[in-house]
Amino acid sequence: MSARRAAATVALAGLGAGACGLTAQEPPPIRAGVAPQPGIYAPGVDVLHYDVEVGLGLDTDWFEGRVDVRVRLLDDGVVLPLDFTGLEIAEVRVDGAPAPYEHEAGVLAIPLGAYARGSEPRVRVRYRGVPDDGMILRDNVHGERSAFVDNWPNRTRFWLPSVDHPADKATVRYAVHAPTAWKVVANGHLVTEGAPTPPDAIGPPGSRRTWIWEVGVPISPYNMVIGAADLEVTTVGLAACGRAPASRRADGCVEVTYWAYPQDVAKAAPSFRRAAEMVDHFTETIGPYPFEKLANVQSATRFGGMENASAIFYSEQAIAAGRDIEGTVSHEIAHQWFGDAVTEASWHHLWLSEGFATYFGAQFFEAADGLEAFRARMEQSRQRILAGNDADRPIYDPLETDLFALLNDNNYPKGGWVLHMLRGVLGDEAFFAGIREYYRRHLHSAVLTSHFQAVMEEAHGDDLEWFFHQWIYRPGYPVFEVDPTWAAAGSGMGGTLTLRIRQTQTEAWPAFRMPMDVLVVQDGREHRERVEVSGRETSVRLRLPGGSPPASVVLDPEGWVLKGG
Ligand SMILES: [Zn+2]
């Protein structure tokens, strides 16, 4: 996600329902973005599939939903705890029979004690109401009605009964009944494009068409979206041909499109012109494209961009204003691999999503526009870290219980810098081999930092505990002061350059161990040596061939290390 251009939350609560016999039986919504308790989320259950049906209207604030949740029981005597809040439940059934349930404090608890461990009951929930969040039903930036889902981090529960945690991935089928004038987009591939809606279908009455989308690889609930509005679809191109195992196309490619309001199609074009090129770049660099297609959608998301698997949602205001959001596009597309296909198993390891998307999103420009373009982005990112206040906390910060507060300079730019520094330590060959292996091994699953560390240690052929400990689990960054002393050895014998490298960052931050290059210019010639600093003060001696004092000494000349000053 890109949080940089986050818009204010649109207050939807308090709109009266008042249509179609809706009663005031909607429970009050719980607060979004509260970190779950540590430990296993929803123990004893593994959701395999959500079969979702949504009925939307043209001028209504309410919608109607139905979901069939197929769940595998990992234990006997399980109570299924579906996250669900702020909407009225019409019916709960288990394998077709009416079932008892409790709905309190945002949890719909359905006893499944009659089912043994290993069984896979199908739980149906029918519901309706005025959503408080998650499903955004409102006029778009042009004053026209639209419906967009916006879930991050745990707002899926405001519109879809679900085990609303990133680690429980599932496949999804969506049937969406939407006003005739609208197009509907969702994750996965299109099964049915706007067929006449049966008159008895759920949702507000009116002239509607039914769209069916299906995602055949498991995705996290926060990635499960539909969008419905008057949208125009433009094809950017085909990508990842032969390297997209989820593709349903005969040619094995994925179609890359963008969906924009009719008023904004031309304004959107420059930002998306290289979207297919980006998919190809990340396929080359990281591994096969994980999903069926890639739609880039102008939408009501509160974020600058939201990486929903194969249906990325972008800020409607940014596109309508004609802003160039190509950097955001690259970031969100990188998320398809990291965040969406390989997902953080806990919100507190968010850097595995946001740091990776920040780094690879920038790295596209290294390949496409050259090293200087990439370095400029990394420098901008470094300046943001230095200017911000987040460095006093570590990247992994389990004490933070407000998930929205994790959208910070630690998980974004500093997480990106951690990857850059790791690349500097390992070298390109081992680094990218490790990245590809990490993706291959953990595709479609959920991981912690330790999983990534283990793969990178294999690629490096050495322990990296020192690296991950200081950069992920400790705060800060080093600030270096270098004092050079030159001692000539005698005529024609060269001399010795002694560098006293002090780390002058606050005592509250650790001293960092880092290998770095030193570039010395002496008598018009460049000398480069790799040194390793550790502790608050490191002295290194470099033998130089010339007899005169060096003209310049530069620590880390290519900028591989995040440092202050
Ligand atoms: Zn992101």
Side-chain angles (χ1 to χ4, degrees):
M1 160 197 342
S2 162
R4 274 177 293 172
R5 295 178 190 125
T9 308
V10 177
L12 282 163
L15 291 176
C20 270
L22 280 186
T23 54
Q25 300 198 3
E26 296 179 24
I30 62 160
R31 193 155 71 85
V34 179
Q37 294 295 315
I40 297 172
Y41 195 83
V45 300
D46 175 18
V47 175
L48 303 177
H49 183 73
Y50 296 96
D51 186 314
V52 183
E53 186 180 1
V54 168
L56 301 168
L58 189 58
D59 285 307
T60 52
D61 297 321
W62 65 278
F63 79 108
E64 195 161 6
R66 187 271 306 159
V67 62
D68 284 7
V69 184
R70 189 152 57 81
V71 58
R72 177 180 293 150
L73 303 184
L74 309 175
D75 221 331
D76 296 322
V78 164
V79 176
L80 174 65
L82 291 176
D83 295 301
F84 190 54
T85 189
L87 295 171
E88 178 191 346
I89 292 169
E91 178 183 49
V92 175
R93 286 176 178 266
V94 178
D95 283 338
Y101 63 89
E102 277 181 17
H103 191 201
E104 260 179 63
V107 177
L108 171 58
I110 304 161
L112 297 175
Y115 290 84
R117 170 186 179 156
S119 51
E120 295 179 3
R122 196 190 59 180
V123 175
R124 165 169 294 194
V125 184
R126 282 171 46 99
Y127 55 97
R128 62 183 178 177
V130 179
D132 300 284
D133 201 347
M135 172 77 79
I136 314 300
L137 307 175
R138 63 163 160 84
D139 289 351
N140 72 12
V141 68
H142 301 295
E144 288 162 22
R145 206 70 182 164
S146 67
F148 287 102
V149 164
D150 191 39
N151 292 324
W152 199 94
N154 57 1
R155 295 182 291 137
T156 310
R157 65 193 65 189
F158 286 88
W159 71 277
L160 178 66
S162 52
V163 174
D164 192 5
H165 188 275
D168 195 349
K169 296 187 175 190
T171 54
V172 196
R173 181 181 188 272
Y174 308 90
V176 181
H177 316 299
T180 303
W182 290 3
K183 288 191 174 67
V184 177
V185 68
N187 317 98
H189 79 282
L190 184 60
V191 177
T192 300
E193 184 175 3
T197 299
D200 58 346
I202 62 170
S207 174
R208 296 186 298 165
R209 291 189 173 273
T210 298
W211 296 66
I212 297 174
W213 288 86
E214 209 163 45
V215 55
V217 294
I219 60 174
S220 299
Y222 78 89
N223 268 308
M224 296 173 184
V225 291
I226 61 169
D230 180 8
L231 293 159
E232 265 184 39
V233 187
T234 306
T235 299
V236 179
L238 297 175
C241 295
R243 301 203 64 202
S247 166
R248 306 292 177 106
R249 295 172 53 94
D251 59 13
C253 305
V254 291
E255 191 180 20
V256 180
T257 56
Y258 67 88
W259 300 51
Y261 305 140
Q263 300 91 331
D264 299 327
V265 174
K267 287 180 200 162
S271 293
F272 296 114
R273 74 193 164 89
R274 294 199 282 186
E277 201 182 314
M278 290 169 186
V279 171
D280 277 331
H281 169 73
F282 296 129
T283 300
E284 273 307 300
T285 307
I286 302 165
Y289 182 75
F291 305 113
E292 291 91 339
K293 58 97 176 55
L294 180 60
N296 296 274
V297 185
Q298 185 178 17
S299 81
T301 177
R302 69 165 70 174
F303 306 106
M306 178 58 218
E307 63 266 20
N308 313 305
S310 73
I312 301 169
F313 284 6
Y314 298 90
S315 155
E316 58 180 7
Q317 292 91 348
I319 291 175
R323 279 213 291 268
D324 179 354
I325 58 163
E326 193 182 40
T328 303
V329 173
S330 180
H331 174 104
E332 306 306 340
I333 292 180
H335 264 308
Q336 303 302 302
W337 284 259
F338 296 122
D340 295 359
V342 178
T343 306
E344 64 283 4
S346 145
W347 292 118
H348 290 109
H349 294 259
L350 185 63
W351 83 279
L352 296 173
S353 176
E354 296 304 349
F356 277 60
T358 299
Y359 189 62
F360 286 97
Q363 197 268 333
F364 165 77
F365 295 97
E366 178 184 9
D369 296 344
L371 192 55
E372 287 314 308
F374 172 58
R375 283 192 181 154
R377 283 173 189 270
M378 292 306 295
E379 177 57 17
Q380 202 176 28
S381 179
R382 188 179 76 96
Q383 292 299 340
R384 193 172 139 196
I385 299 164
L386 268 46
N389 301 318
D390 295 330
D392 286 329
R393 306 291 314 161
I395 289 179
Y396 173 71
D397 190 4
L399 298 180
E400 181 56 73
T401 56
D402 175 5
L403 298 179
F404 291 108
L406 295 175
L407 303 177
N408 58 27
D409 291 345
N410 285 335
N411 283 306
Y412 283 76
K414 192 177 175 189
W417 264 97
V418 167
L419 291 177
H420 190 59
M421 290 189 282
L422 194 56
R423 180 179 167 188
V425 171
L426 270 63
D428 273 13
E429 196 179 323
F431 174 78
F432 285 107
I435 290 292
R436 284 190 287 272
E437 176 59 16
Y438 167 66
Y439 176 72
R440 190 196 66 77
R441 202 178 292 178
H442 298 294
L443 177 65
H444 300 314
S445 61
V447 291
L448 301 172
T449 301
S450 55
H451 294 94
F452 177 59
Q453 180 179 334
V455 177
M456 297 314 280
E457 286 178 340
E458 281 174 36
H460 184 42
D462 205 347
D463 177 73
L464 287 167
E465 177 60 24
W466 60 272
F467 178 92
F468 281 88
H469 179 73
Q470 68 189 9
W471 289 115
I472 301 295
Y473 302 98
R474 304 292 309 274
Y477 46 78
V479 179
F480 296 116
E481 273 185 31
V482 183
D483 300 319
T485 314
W486 172 248
S491 58
M493 300 287 288
T496 302
L497 175 67
T498 303
L499 299 178
R500 180 171 167 245
I501 305 169
R502 288 188 302 133
Q503 296 193 32
T504 62
Q505 65 271 20
T506 166
E507 291 290 330
W509 296 353
F512 288 79
R513 167 184 166 188
M514 280 304 284
M516 274 183 293
D517 280 0
V518 177
L519 180 67
V520 181
V521 177
Q522 183 193 44
D523 300 334
R525 280 185 302 174
E526 292 189 348
H527 305 274
R528 182 183 291 265
E529 287 219 28
R530 181 149 270 217
V531 303
E532 182 167 301
V533 299
S534 62
R536 292 276 157 184
E537 185 169 326
T538 306
S539 267
V540 294
R541 290 174 163 215
L542 311 179
R543 292 200 170 281
L544 296 176
S548 47
S552 72
V553 178
V554 181
L555 200 60
D556 185 33
E558 274 81 38
W560 285 107
V561 178
L562 171 62
K563 50 191 174 312

